[in-house]
């Protein structure tokens, strides 16, 4: 034991008799370690539970409105806004075409009146021809046929007149609808368009805010995982310290056992010198483990404090990224939901008004088509009358003087049937213009006409409602989490001192052995016993740091392999850290 041999003689002050007191104090520290570190582990678990609860709630909040849902909702609202914005312009063009149709309808009405008057003349002449030719064989049947044709034409013209009146009524009703129902939305439409666009932007903003919540939670979770790993690693100091205290106790026990085994060869001075050497070793070991213990416990306490800071930071997430409306309990998503519900009601009213105006316009177009067919029918009747009148003239010419009077009447029939044809031609010109205007009326449809605008809002409202309900549901749990954080923080104020009692005992033991630190012990003549003590104590170590202190104080025992010791120390350290978790 060369290192011991190099110690030079000197006086020393070691209260060797105090070794039992130091050992008792060390036992007190050792016995408290497991309970105290169990308390520290419990505190760590409780903090992690609060943090985990917070992250889970915020993850549900951040996932309440998925990115694709937000994109679809914003797109539907933007589309609805653009379609509604087109409605007033489309209705303006529709009103203009309706007015033009009304003007053409009035002109057509005048031609209908002319046809009605012409048909009255034709009916009169046909009746006269029937009376005049009553004595002529076969003529009466001919006259009856002409009268039937004229009556049929009269009914058609009457029907035409009724439908013209219907057309005027429809135009008036459509104009009234546009002037009342649609016009009363003139002020609403710009507002609703702006509101829909704002809500589309708000949904996008909320999705971005929720994305920030998710990123914040993910980032914080990663940090906490690192702190947790650091804390679990640092908690091993409890088991490490317990073992190192046991090794200090073992050093005294080994020394006492060797002294007793060699009692016959040792006097009091020799015993004092051996105990002094061991006490100096214990002092240095206590100083080293105290430093490691303090450092690792500070890491644990720092991480636990950091956990609370992280939890408090997460509690601020929903207040900063999901701010509530001033003076209310309404979240932004709930506000968007309420805005969309109001918008849907207004849009529904606008849709109904626009649909009514479009329906009347479409009906007017149908009436115009019927009018065209009726006038064409009247023209066919006019042609029949002309041919029949011409045939009668030819027959009257063969009758001679007897048929001359009838010929005069049938000539008038031909003349007035020509006037009926002229009136019908003019009516057809008006009708063709009406037909063109009606066709243009159909072209004034906007993209929003006929679309279920409310359905677009319903899609967005569905996504927002689900998200808003989820967020509202989680707000209560978030508030509960906040209360838990405060309660845990208050409980941790004293719990964070779990290591102080142990550290105080270790410090007291180090202080009681402090006098041995500067002492240089003369072990001349005691080399064999001191070497035996040193070798046995060295074998108890499981930490490289313990061996380093031992070598520094007493030197490396001759029986310890210089090459094997470092490798074995490293292996022991690794094994210890794997098995020392509480």
């Amino acid at each position: 034991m060369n290192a011991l041999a190099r110690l030079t003689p000197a006086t020393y002050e070691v209260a060797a008799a105090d070794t039992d007191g130091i050992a008792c104090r060390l036992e007190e520290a050792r016995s408290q370690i497991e309970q105290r570190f169990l308390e520290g582990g419990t505190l760590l678990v409780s903090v992690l539970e609060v943090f985990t609860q917070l992250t889970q709630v915020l993850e549900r909040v951040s996932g309440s409105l998925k990115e694709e849902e937000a994109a679809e909702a914003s797109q539907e609202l933007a589309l609805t806004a653009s379609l509604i914005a087109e409605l007033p312009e489309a209705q303006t063009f529709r009103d203009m075409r309706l007015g033009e149709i009304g003007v053409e309808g009035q002109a057509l009405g005048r031609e209908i009146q002319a046809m009605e008057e012409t048909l009255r003349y034709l009916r009169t002449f046909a009746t006269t021809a029937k009376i005049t030719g009553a004595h002529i064989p076969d003529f009466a049947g001919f006259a009856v046929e002409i009268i039937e044709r004229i009556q049929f034409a009269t009914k058609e013209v009457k029907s035409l007149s009724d439908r013209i009146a219907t057309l005027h009524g429809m135009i008036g009703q459509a104009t009234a609808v546009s002037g009342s129902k649609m016009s009363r939305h003139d002020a609403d439409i710009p507002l609703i368009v702006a509101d829909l666009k704002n809500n589309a932007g708000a949904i996008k903003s909320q999705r971005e805010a929720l994305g920030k919540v998710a990123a914040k939670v993910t980032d914080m979770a990663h940090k906490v995982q690192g702190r947790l790993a650091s804390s679990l690693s640092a908690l091993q100091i409890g088991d490490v310290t317990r073992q190192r205290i046991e090794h200090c106790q073992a050093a005294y026990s080994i020394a006492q056992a060797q002294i007793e085994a060699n009692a016959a060869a040792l006097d009091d001075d020799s015993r004092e010198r051996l105990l002094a050497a061991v006490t100096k070793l214990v002092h240095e070991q206590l100083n080293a483990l105290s430093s490691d213990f303090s450092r690792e416990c500070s890491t644990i306490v720092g991480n636990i404090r950091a956990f609370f800071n992280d939890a408090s930071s997460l509690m601020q997430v929903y207040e900063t990224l999901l701010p509530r409306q001033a003076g209310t309990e309404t979240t932004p998503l709930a506000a968007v939901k309420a805005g969309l519900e109001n918008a849907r009601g207004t849009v529904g009213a606008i849709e109904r008004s626009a649909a009514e105006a479009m329906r009347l316009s479409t009906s007017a177009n149908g009436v115009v088509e019927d009018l065209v067919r009726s006038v064409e029918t009247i023209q066919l009747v006019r042609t029949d009358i002309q041919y029949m009148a011409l045939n009668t003239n030819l027959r009257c010419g063969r009758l001679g003087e007897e048929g001359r009077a009838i010929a005069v009447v049938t000539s008038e029939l031909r003349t007035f049937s020509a006037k009926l044809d002229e009136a019908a031609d003019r009516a057809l010109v008006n009708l063709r213009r009406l037909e063109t205007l009606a066709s243009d009326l159909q072209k004034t449809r906007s993209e929003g006409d006929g679309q279920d605008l409310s359905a677009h809002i319903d899609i967005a409202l569905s996504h927002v409602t689900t998200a808003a309900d989820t967020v509202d549901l989680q707000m209560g749990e978030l508030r509960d989490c906040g209360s838990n954080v405060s309660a845990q923080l208050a409980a941790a104020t004293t719990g964070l001192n779990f290591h102080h009692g142990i550290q105080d005992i270790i410090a007291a033991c180090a202080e009681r052995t402090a006098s041995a630190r500067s002492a240089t012990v003369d072990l001349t003549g005691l080399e064999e016993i001191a070497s035996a003590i040193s070798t046995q104590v060295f074998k108890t170590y499981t930490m490289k740091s313990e061996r380093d202190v031992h070598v520094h104080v007493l030197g490396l025992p001759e029986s310890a392999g210089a090459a094997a010791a470092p490798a074995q120390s490293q292996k022991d350290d690794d094994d210890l850290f794997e098995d020392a978790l509480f």
Side-chain angles (χ1 to χ4, degrees):
M1 189 172 175
N2 296 329
L4 288 175
R6 288 196 297 269
L7 293 174
T8 59
T11 58
Y12 55 86
E13 294 181 7
V14 178
D18 197 33
T19 57
D20 290 339
I22 295 172
C24 289
R25 293 288 283 167
L26 289 175
E27 177 60 23
E28 182 182 355
R30 190 197 67 79
S31 63
Q32 289 188 24
I33 284 178
E34 185 171 352
Q35 179 61 35
R36 294 294 185 88
F37 272 78
L38 181 61
E39 293 172 358
T42 301
L43 178 62
L44 178 62
V45 169
S46 66
V47 174
L48 285 175
E49 286 178 348
V50 172
F51 182 86
T52 300
Q53 184 182 13
L54 272 175
T55 56
Q56 289 174 345
V57 173
L58 286 171
E59 282 172 356
R60 288 195 290 271
V61 171
S62 62
S64 60
L65 182 61
K66 296 179 175 58
E67 187 172 354
E68 60 273 15
E69 293 174 348
E72 182 182 21
S74 297
Q75 181 180 354
E76 293 296 335
L77 293 183
L79 174 61
T80 306
S82 65
L83 293 177
I84 292 176
E86 293 176 0
L87 291 177
E89 183 178 0
Q91 186 58 41
T92 299
F93 282 115
R94 192 179 296 128
D95 290 345
M96 183 173 65
R97 290 293 180 267
L98 285 172
E100 293 172 349
I101 289 174
V103 172
E104 290 298 331
Q106 290 176 350
L108 178 61
R110 291 192 290 270
E111 300 304 330
I112 297 298
Q113 290 177 351
M115 284 193 287
E116 287 179 328
E117 184 177 356
T118 300
L119 283 168
R120 282 196 296 271
Y121 280 113
L122 285 172
R123 188 166 54 251
T124 299
F125 287 125
T127 302
T128 301
K130 178 181 179 182
I131 294 171
T132 303
H135 62 286
I136 300 175
D138 299 329
F139 188 79
F142 164 73
V144 169
E145 187 176 355
I146 291 179
I147 290 173
E148 288 176 352
R149 296 282 182 176
I150 292 171
Q151 287 176 339
F152 175 77
T154 300
K155 289 180 181 179
E156 284 295 316
V157 172
K158 178 64 170 63
S159 175
L160 195 63
S161 178
D162 291 342
R163 276 176 283 179
I164 288 292
T166 299
L167 177 63
H168 283 307
M170 286 182 175
I171 292 172
Q173 189 177 359
T175 303
V177 167
S178 176
S180 60
K181 290 185 178 180
M182 280 301 294
S183 61
R184 70 187 177 194
H185 298 304
D186 287 348
D188 294 337
I189 287 177
L191 295 177
I192 204 67
V193 168
D195 192 42
L196 288 174
K197 289 181 178 179
N198 289 338
N199 281 327
I203 291 173
K204 182 179 179 181
S205 297
Q206 286 303 294
R207 178 54 251 171
E208 291 174 352
L210 291 172
K212 291 180 181 178
V213 171
K216 180 78 171 179
V217 172
T218 300
D219 180 63
M220 199 67 71
H222 288 160
K223 289 181 180 179
V224 167
Q225 287 175 357
R227 291 197 178 104
L228 175 59
S230 176
S231 297
L232 290 175
S233 177
L235 276 174
Q236 295 174 94
I237 193 61
D239 192 53
V240 170
T241 302
R242 176 181 57 77
Q243 291 187 39
R244 293 178 74 172
I245 289 174
E246 289 174 350
H247 299 159
C248 290
Q249 292 174 305
Y252 279 125
S253 297
I254 290 170
Q256 291 286 2
Q258 284 293 335
I259 289 172
E260 289 177 5
N262 296 278
L266 297 174
D267 56 18
D268 290 343
D269 179 68
S270 298
R271 285 193 291 272
E272 289 291 340
R273 284 188 289 157
L274 287 171
L275 288 176
V278 172
T279 301
K280 182 170 185 176
L281 173 64
V282 169
H283 175 79
E284 295 297 336
Q285 292 286 11
L286 288 174
N287 278 342
L289 75 86
S290 178
S291 176
D292 293 343
F293 184 79
S294 177
R295 183 183 65 253
E296 295 301 317
C297 287
S298 295
T299 299
I300 297 170
V301 172
N303 280 336
I304 292 176
R305 291 188 187 277
F307 286 143
F308 280 112
N309 291 335
D310 292 339
S312 297
S313 178
L314 284 179
M315 282 302 299
Q316 294 172 3
V317 166
Y318 86 101
E319 296 175 353
T320 56
L321 297 181
L322 296 173
R324 297 182 174 217
Q325 304 300 308
T328 72
E329 285 292 307
T330 303
T331 63
L333 278 175
V336 171
K337 174 186 173 184
L340 290 181
E341 289 173 342
N342 292 335
R344 193 189 184 287
T346 305
V347 168
I350 294 172
E351 274 190 298
R352 289 189 291 274
S353 299
E356 178 67 11
M358 194 64 217
R359 184 189 66 78
L360 292 171
S361 299
T362 302
S363 298
N365 184 64
V367 170
V368 170
E369 292 175 353
D370 288 342
L371 289 173
V372 172
R373 288 191 293 271
S374 294
V375 171
E376 290 173 346
T377 300
I378 292 170
Q379 283 183 311
L380 291 175
V381 171
R382 180 271 307 166
T383 300
D384 288 343
I385 293 172
Q386 279 195 328
Y387 281 125
M388 292 174 70
L390 177 61
N391 186 41
T392 300
N393 273 339
L394 294 176
R395 291 177 64 185
C396 288
R398 289 195 297 270
L399 290 175
E401 191 64 30
E402 186 180 20
R404 185 174 298 173
I406 297 175
V408 171
V409 176
T410 55
S411 177
E412 291 297 321
L413 281 173
R414 290 181 61 197
T415 300
F416 277 93
S417 65
K419 290 182 178 180
L420 178 63
D421 192 41
E422 291 172 359
D425 285 342
R426 291 193 299 272
L428 274 177
V429 172
N430 291 124
L431 280 171
R432 295 304 178 194
R433 286 199 288 265
L434 272 176
E435 195 173 29
T436 300
L437 291 172
S439 178
D440 289 344
L441 185 64
Q442 291 297 97
K443 294 177 182 178
T444 61
R445 294 173 64 95
S446 72
E447 291 186 20
D449 289 327
Q451 288 206 34
D452 189 353
L453 299 179
S454 297
H456 294 294
I457 296 180
D458 286 340
I459 293 173
L461 187 57
S462 173
H463 293 319
V464 172
T465 298
T466 300
D469 291 347
T470 299
V471 172
D472 285 342
L473 182 64
Q474 300 307 318
M475 284 302 166
E477 192 167 350
L478 277 171
R479 284 192 290 271
D480 292 340
C481 286
S483 299
N484 289 340
V485 169
S486 299
Q488 291 288 354
L489 187 57
T493 302
T494 55
L496 288 176
N497 297 323
F498 69 94
H499 60 294
H500 284 175
I502 301 170
Q503 196 163 359
D504 290 343
I505 295 173
I506 294 172
C509 290
E511 180 64 26
R512 293 176 72 168
T513 59
S515 60
R517 178 172 190 147
S518 59
T520 302
V521 182
D522 180 11
L523 296 177
T524 303
L526 301 174
E527 288 85 350
E528 185 177 349
I529 299 175
S531 178
I533 294 172
S534 177
T535 299
Q536 290 183 46
V537 172
F538 194 85
K539 289 179 179 179
T540 65
Y541 298 143
T542 53
M543 299 291 293
K544 181 179 181 297
S545 56
E546 292 178 293
R547 296 188 181 95
D548 291 340
V549 172
H550 188 103
V551 171
H552 175 71
V553 176
L554 298 181
L556 182 66
E558 293 178 356
S559 61
Q568 183 61 38
S569 296
Q570 183 61 48
K571 182 179 185 300
D572 290 343
D573 291 349
D574 293 340
D575 292 340
L576 175 63
F577 273 86
E578 288 179 1
D579 301 330
L581 297 180
F582 278 88

